[in-house]
Amino acid sequence: MFSNELKQRRRILLICVLSCLVAVASVLVAKLLLLGIALFTNLFYFQTFSVAESNPADNTLGAWAVVVPVIGGLIVGAMARFGSASIRGHGIPEAMENILQKESRIPRRITFLKPLSSAIAIGSGGPFGAEGPIIATGGALGSWLGQIVPVSAYERKIILASGAAAGMTAIFGTPLSAVLLAIELLLFEYRPKSFVPVALATAVAATLRSAFMHTEAFFTMPPIQAPDMTGLLTYLAFGAVMGLLAVVVTKSIYWVEDHFEKIPLHWMWWPALGGLAVGIIGLIEPRSLGVGYGNISLSLAGSLTVGAAVSIFVWKFLAWAIALGSGTSGGTLAPLLTLGAAFGFIIGTLLARFVPELHTDINTMALIGMAALFAGSSRALLASVLFALEGTKQPVGLVPLLGCCCIAYLISTVIMKNSIMTEKIARRGLKVPHEYYGGSHS
């Protein structure tokens, strides 16, 4: 009896060590991914070989800029066709599928192909963020290590989730929300034997991140004020609106994907077609191109006009829906945050101007809109709340964030069976756990 307990404790220590090792690797890969995005952005849009940060919206190519996302789509399509089709999509559903169906075994080539294809897709104007690809890549690193070291499928899942959470922490500097995202979307449970290794991995990632990135809030915004009763009730009602918007966004993404399935061309060419749409939209609204984290900060800071926010919301949504539906490589978190923040800013501005007696704050509306759209679309409720708090360092926003995200989550759950993360794998016949469970595992 004592011998078995000692053996189990040693296994937990081993998994913790392996999780920390994969965290170190995930931070390095995250840095390389960010440098890769900058490199390809400069190559595609400015014809310079540089890793300095640049914005594709500032390009001077004129109408020729339409061609850039098409070239990126052609490259990504070829990589998917001749490298691995698993690089298609936004990464998290594919990681979930490997956990549920393949004992957390991810092909090793994904570790290289996913970040490279995502850097090309985003660098050529793809309206995605770096977080989905690095979560997928960190998970692949964890799976790779879990296949080298003799561990069980359950232990491999923990290492995979540790890599994914560490990767997200390396990008945003949000360790706690990364842990919760891993629990809600990858582990499907909350138990110390799985929670502790993932938490250690994010702590290591957050520590290493401070060596090469700033430690201030990822999204800058002015301090917000605690809401009164009237304002809080308005925010809760807004949560219901965001729940409905999450349903519309999710269904639209898969509607576009379904229509790409009907195109009489091999799927290898679809990202190029999506790239053509992205390029045309980029001429209309250049701010729809690329990652667009700056658009989120502008919404949160209240530095946009309503017209600019509407333009960003509409064109970013169209570009993202078409590009993602085409099967290219890119994430969902940054687009969801952009749309949610812009929509919250629009509604907050209109309410403040025409119904001031509701006591709403524009910055708060943008903040809870950002988080609530993510909560309703992904069903990662707690991760959405904590991400907004960690990403902006606005603790006063806890109550409206929690209330708004909960209501958005409930509305989305009632109307829509699957989330933006699980719809794809549910269509393949996989049953996805929707609640944490506490049963025994090997």
Side-chain angles (χ1 to χ4, degrees):
M1 179 72 176
F2 178 76
S3 176
N4 287 336
E5 289 182 0
L6 182 61
K7 187 180 295 185
Q8 289 179 356
R9 291 173 185 173
R10 287 177 176 173
R11 294 296 296 181
I12 293 174
L13 286 175
L14 172 64
I15 299 306
C16 287
V17 170
L18 295 176
S19 294
C20 291
L21 289 175
V22 79
V24 175
S26 294
V27 172
L28 294 175
V29 172
K31 180 62 175 177
L32 290 174
L33 174 61
L34 294 176
L35 292 175
I37 292 172
L39 173 64
F40 285 112
T41 300
N42 285 310
L43 284 175
F44 280 121
Y45 283 100
F46 305 99
Q47 296 77 57
T48 58
F49 192 85
S50 170
V51 292
E53 188 173 340
S54 59
N55 188 344
D58 298 330
N59 79 83
T60 57
L61 295 175
W64 285 105
V66 172
V67 181
V68 174
V70 177
I71 296 172
L74 287 171
I75 297 172
V76 172
M79 291 177 69
R81 172 76 180 275
F82 302 109
S84 173
S86 297
I87 66 171
R88 304 174 71 219
H90 47 100
I92 296 178
E94 290 74 21
M96 296 170 76
E97 183 177 9
N98 281 287
I99 289 172
L100 295 169
Q101 193 177 41
K102 301 176 183 178
E103 296 186 331
S104 302
R105 296 180 186 273
I106 299 176
R108 295 180 183 180
R109 59 185 178 274
I110 299 300
T111 310
F112 307 100
L113 291 177
K114 186 64 179 180
L116 179 59
S117 64
S118 298
I120 293 170
I122 298 170
S124 61
F128 307 109
E131 64 293 324
I134 194 57
I135 288 173
T137 305
L141 284 168
S143 174
W144 187 356
L145 184 59
Q147 293 175 64
I148 296 173
V149 180
V151 296
S152 67
Y154 176 67
E155 292 168 334
R156 193 181 304 113
K157 178 178 73 169
I158 297 172
I159 304 171
L160 184 157
S162 297
M168 179 176 172
T169 302
I171 296 293
F172 291 111
T174 54
L176 186 54
S177 59
V179 173
L180 291 173
L181 189 76
I183 289 171
E184 293 181 298
L185 296 183
L186 299 176
L187 292 172
F188 308 112
E189 65 171 19
Y190 179 80
R191 297 196 303 163
K193 67 184 297 184
S194 57
F195 171 84
V196 171
V198 176
L200 277 174
T202 61
V204 169
T207 302
L208 293 176
R209 179 184 185 273
S210 63
F212 61 84
M213 294 184 70
H214 65 80
T215 55
E216 292 81 24
F218 192 87
F219 302 113
T220 56
M221 63 182 298
I224 61 176
Q225 302 298 317
D228 60 14
M229 182 63 70
T230 303
L232 185 58
L233 290 174
T234 305
Y235 296 143
L236 295 178
F238 182 60
V241 176
M242 295 310 295
L244 294 173
L245 183 60
V247 173
V248 172
V249 166
T250 301
K251 290 188 175 295
S252 297
I253 291 292
Y254 287 99
W255 182 85
V256 172
E257 187 173 296
D258 289 342
H259 280 72
F260 266 100
E261 295 282 350
K262 299 175 183 178
I263 296 176
L265 283 174
H266 191 279
W267 55 257
M268 169 185 169
W269 305 105
W270 298 351
L273 294 177
L276 179 60
V278 170
I280 294 172
I281 291 172
L283 288 182
I284 301 170
E285 176 51 87
R287 288 170 294 192
S288 67
L289 297 170
V291 174
Y293 292 137
N295 295 330
I296 301 172
S297 291
L298 288 174
S299 295
L300 293 172
S303 302
L304 294 170
T305 63
V306 171
V310 170
S311 180
I312 290 172
F313 177 84
V314 171
W315 295 114
K316 183 76 173 185
F317 171 63
L318 287 176
W320 172 55
I322 295 171
L324 191 63
S326 73
T328 193
S329 181
T332 58
L333 180 53
L336 286 172
L337 299 178
T338 301
L339 297 177
F343 188 77
F345 170 84
I346 294 166
I347 300 302
T349 302
L350 294 177
L351 290 178
R353 184 177 302 171
F354 298 109
V355 200
E357 57 269 21
L358 293 180
H359 301 166
T360 55
D361 174 65
I362 296 173
N363 308 106
T364 304
M365 288 291 279
L367 178 63
I368 63 178
M370 174 181 84
L373 185 60
F374 181 44
S377 300
S378 70
R379 309 278 171 82
L381 172 60
L382 297 178
S384 302
V385 174
L386 266 296
F387 178 84
L389 291 175
E390 289 184 297
T392 62
K393 300 189 186 300
Q394 297 284 346
V396 176
L398 176 59
V399 174
L401 276 169
L402 193 59
C404 189
C405 288
C406 283
I407 291 176
Y409 176 96
L410 289 172
I411 295 293
S412 170
T413 304
V414 169
I415 298 176
M416 186 169 59
K417 181 178 180 181
N418 297 302
S419 72
I420 199 169
M421 305 297 182
T422 61
E423 175 67 22
K424 180 178 291 187
I425 56 178
R427 290 181 174 196
R428 297 172 183 167
L430 291 180
K431 184 177 181 181
V432 183
H434 291 285
E435 298 177 349
Y436 308 143
Y437 51 87
S440 60
H441 298 272
S442 57

